[in-house]
Amino acid sequence: MTTLPLSGCSYGWLHQNSLDHALRQLATHGYRTLELTTAPPHLFTSAYGPYERQQLLRTLNSLSLQVISVNPSFGDLNLVSTNPEIRAVSEAQIAAELELAADLGARFVVVIGGRRHQLAPAPLDAAARVLDDALDRLLERARRLGVTIALENNPYGFLATATELCEVVDRIDSPHLAVTYDVANALAAEDPSAGLRLLGSRLALAHISDTWKHRWAHTSVGRGEVDFGSFATTLAELGFDGPTVYELVDGEPPDDRLPTDLAALAGYGWSVHTLPVGTR
């Protein structure tokens, strides 16, 4: 069985406990790499100055943890909003994420392309042009900082499938634009393993958690309908040795569940003790 690198995620402790507690729990359970969720009350990137960043790096180093990606969670950000002020704020805050990633030595910033209103959605071609416009500026900053934007599939009516993600990445054709593919976001839209095969080398990050086809979640392994074995096998067949992030976010404290969850994921081939490519 191919061993797949498994990274942690601080998101599950948001509104549950402090960021410091989250980092210490991740280290206690054996993680060596993580995706940092940059959302208040844990961390507001634009207000997180040089002293705070140095303190965070000291904490990470003391715990032998390395940030591989940052993700502002996109609860409020929307690059394709029809409101120009919302678009401007979203772009500015993602630009700040790129700066933070560079300061922390993280390779990726996870970006959700945006959401369309369910009742009165903007036309897809118009939303695509608006996204391209924002990405053009953000990718120039990413290039200067040596960071990659990893565009994530999402269930918000825009870029839900691997095909749609491929279209954006291929159209823009930048070495600093790749894909984050989230199995829980994909399940209601397509076969996640087929999506992975379509993405191929465009894949930079994978996100895993359990969910149901008709009820969206990011919950513990075994609670839902995700075929983790098929997903892991497809990653191995693709030769993917980048980060797979276990994004456990369901409103319940993660602490006591992690040993059982990690043991289940180890049965499919993921290991917290294997470092993703580029971090060794």
Side-chain angles (χ1 to χ4, degrees):
M1 186 189 304
T2 300
T3 302
L4 299 165
L6 186 67
S7 299
C9 182
S10 61
Y11 198 174
W13 285 271
L14 192 69
H15 308 303
Q16 301 286 333
N17 216 311
S18 67
L19 176 59
D20 185 74
H21 175 87
L23 296 177
R24 295 184 187 282
Q25 282 294 308
L26 289 168
T28 295
H29 290 290
Y31 283 110
R32 299 170 67 186
T33 58
L34 77 146
E35 180 169 290
L36 182 67
T37 304
T38 52
H42 275 185
L43 189 163
F44 180 48
T45 300
S46 299
Y48 211 65
Y51 284 106
E52 291 85 357
R53 296 177 191 213
Q54 288 300 312
Q55 179 58 53
L56 177 57
L57 280 170
R58 285 193 290 271
T59 300
L60 291 165
N61 290 335
S62 72
L63 297 171
S64 299
L65 285 172
Q66 181 176 347
V67 177
I68 46 92
S69 53
V70 300
N71 184 347
S73 83
F74 291 86
D76 301 302
L77 305 183
N78 185 3
L79 285 173
V80 299
S81 172
T82 56
N83 184 324
E85 293 185 359
I86 298 298
R87 293 200 307 274
V89 168
S90 299
E91 185 177 329
Q93 292 197 11
I94 294 169
E97 298 294 324
L98 295 170
E99 302 281 350
L100 178 66
D103 287 346
L104 297 180
R107 296 172 58 201
F108 306 108
V109 172
V110 176
V111 171
I112 285 178
R115 61 172 60 83
R116 296 191 305 148
H117 197 286
Q118 289 188 348
L119 295 179
L124 274 172
D125 59 341
R129 286 196 296 271
V130 169
L131 177 63
D132 286 2
D133 184 56
L135 285 177
D136 185 56
R137 290 183 293 273
L138 289 168
L139 284 165
E140 175 55 28
R141 183 169 297 203
R143 182 193 63 78
R144 294 197 306 267
L145 294 167
V147 176
T148 295
I149 292 173
L151 203 61
E152 183 177 3
N153 61 313
N154 71 82
Y156 305 140
F158 187 59
L159 303 188
T161 67
T163 297
E164 293 167 317
L165 291 169
C166 288
E167 288 173 355
V168 176
V169 172
D170 293 350
R171 181 172 68 244
I172 293 177
D173 192 23
S174 166
H176 294 280
L177 182 64
V179 169
T180 296
Y181 194 64
D182 187 309
V183 68
N185 291 352
L187 189 63
E190 62 186 349
D191 172 23
S193 293
L196 280 180
R197 293 188 186 95
L198 186 61
L199 289 169
S201 62
R202 304 173 187 86
L203 184 67
L205 289 156
H207 280 184
I208 55 170
S209 58
D210 216 341
T211 190
W212 296 265
K213 286 185 178 179
H214 303 295
R215 176 184 156 202
W216 187 41
H218 278 51
T219 195
S220 282
V221 182
R223 287 184 174 181
E225 301 174 80
V226 169
D227 187 343
F228 289 96
S230 175
F231 199 73
T233 297
T234 305
L235 287 173
E237 289 173 352
L238 292 173
F240 181 71
D241 56 1
T244 297
V245 175
Y246 183 36
E247 194 180 31
L248 176 62
V249 191
D250 59 5
E252 300 176 31
D255 305 42
D256 295 338
R257 290 182 286 162
L258 275 178
T260 301
D261 289 3
L262 293 180
L265 289 171
Y268 296 114
W270 280 286
S271 172
V272 297
H273 304 296
T274 302
L275 291 174
V277 63
T279 62
R280 299 180 179 90

